[in-house]
Amino acid sequence: MLLFPAIDLKEGKAVRLLQGRMEDSTVYADDPVGVAKNFEGQGASHLHVVDLNGAFSGKPVNDEVIRKIVGSVSLKVQVGGGIRTMERITELLELGVERVILGTIAVKDPELVAEAARRYGERIIVGIDALGGRVAVQGWAEATEMQAVDLAQAMKDVGVKHIVFTDIARDGMLSGPNIESTVRLAQETGINVIASGGISTLEDVRHLQAEHLRGVPIEGAITGKALYSGAFTLKEALEAANYNPQLKITGSRGE
């Protein structure tokens, strides 16, 4: 299972929000590029980046920082936040971003997502953010009546292969991810799911990895605040994401 350390960008700085509220932000680093290099040095292969300003305003704000991150590390970087036109999708991919995450337009303009999936294949991810099972858009500021599982199925039907699923109530709270909802969504749709929101312990990561091992299409997990707060190290999280109890030798056999 893949492990995605996260960098959320607000006005050029690495921050974390509580339940997606811009007014409840904590600055963790003035140098996001340095954070990305640190993650790479600890063994990461992938990176999850969100332009929070873009998510709320629908306009790119942190492109210069994103450009520097992509140019400074060999990590496979996926970027989301305010990506709502084909021109913007193309712009980010040409910048060197590995995959782009489309959120609001999956609800507002599904035909654009379908066209992006046809054009760019697996480089297109859809981000589904839910509160009480219902999808929220516009940087989580606007609730809808659409069920997360219905949106995931609709996106799969138009050719999307991967989604990032976030339970807003858990995000940034260190209260544990909503594994039950994540697993149910993955099982009901069969789409590859990256779990996001609330990971607080290594056991959370191992639990998701266990579901991955038993065939549930959970592709990976995103962790942010737990890393920044020191709940565990990235090295420990990477080990948990690759944990396989079947390979663990117990007892005295062979000794």
Side-chain angles (χ1 to χ4, degrees):
M1 185 181 78
L2 299 174
L3 197 288
F4 297 79
I7 297 177
D8 289 357
L9 298 173
K10 180 183 178 185
E11 294 157 10
K13 298 178 181 180
V15 306
R16 293 300 294 169
L17 306 185
L18 289 179
Q19 298 180 326
R21 297 190 296 266
M22 284 288 269
E23 66 273 16
D24 286 333
S25 64
T26 301
V27 176
Y28 282 107
D30 292 330
D31 178 21
V33 176
V35 174
K37 289 180 177 179
N38 184 34
F39 287 154
E40 183 178 41
Q42 293 184 63
S45 58
H46 293 70
L47 181 66
H48 178 80
V49 176
V50 177
D51 179 348
L52 292 173
N53 299 106
F56 279 84
S57 69
K59 300 177 182 178
V61 173
N62 294 287
D63 271 14
E64 186 58 32
V65 176
I66 293 171
R67 182 180 292 106
K68 288 179 180 178
I69 289 173
V70 171
S72 299
V73 297
S74 60
L75 302 172
K76 293 182 178 180
V77 181
Q78 60 186 37
V79 173
I83 305 170
R84 297 171 192 170
T85 67
M86 189 64 70
E87 291 75 17
R88 179 64 177 151
I89 293 168
T90 302
E91 185 177 61
L92 283 167
L93 293 176
E94 290 180 348
L95 194 67
V97 168
E98 181 73 15
R99 302 194 294 192
V100 297
I101 305 164
L102 308 179
T104 294
I105 63 166
V107 175
K108 303 285 189 180
D109 191 357
E111 291 183 4
L112 189 149
V113 180
E115 174 59 27
R118 285 193 292 270
R119 187 179 300 187
Y120 294 116
E122 297 203 29
R123 299 184 75 184
I124 300 300
I125 308 176
V126 166
I128 298 179
D129 307 321
L131 187 61
R134 290 183 171 85
V135 177
V137 295
Q138 302 289 152
W140 303 353
E142 179 184 324
T144 75
E145 292 301 313
M146 182 177 291
Q147 293 290 324
V149 67
D150 293 334
L151 180 57
Q153 185 61 57
M155 291 299 98
K156 182 183 179 183
D157 291 345
V158 300
V160 173
K161 306 293 186 184
H162 311 268
I163 65 169
V164 173
F165 176 65
T166 304
D167 185 326
I168 296 171
R170 307 292 185 98
D171 188 69
M173 301 301 290
L174 295 180
S175 58
N178 192 332
I179 293 177
E180 180 182 352
S181 293
T182 303
V183 169
R184 183 169 62 249
L185 183 132
Q187 288 179 320
E188 290 187 13
T189 64
I191 199 167
N192 295 305
V193 177
I194 300 171
S196 174
I199 287 177
S200 59
T201 68
L202 294 174
E203 191 56 36
D204 293 334
V205 181
R206 292 192 191 101
H207 192 165
L208 290 165
Q209 164 68 347
E211 296 292 344
H212 171 79
L213 289 174
R214 74 181 184 90
V216 178
I218 294 178
E219 176 183 2
I222 296 168
T223 181
K225 188 172 182 178
L227 289 176
Y228 293 109
S229 65
F232 48 72
T233 67
L234 179 55
K235 181 177 182 294
E236 289 171 332
L238 289 166
E239 290 173 352
N242 289 282
Y243 178 71
N244 187 344
Q246 295 179 348
L247 298 179
K248 185 176 181 181
I249 300 174
T250 60
S252 58
R253 182 179 298 176
E255 293 179 359

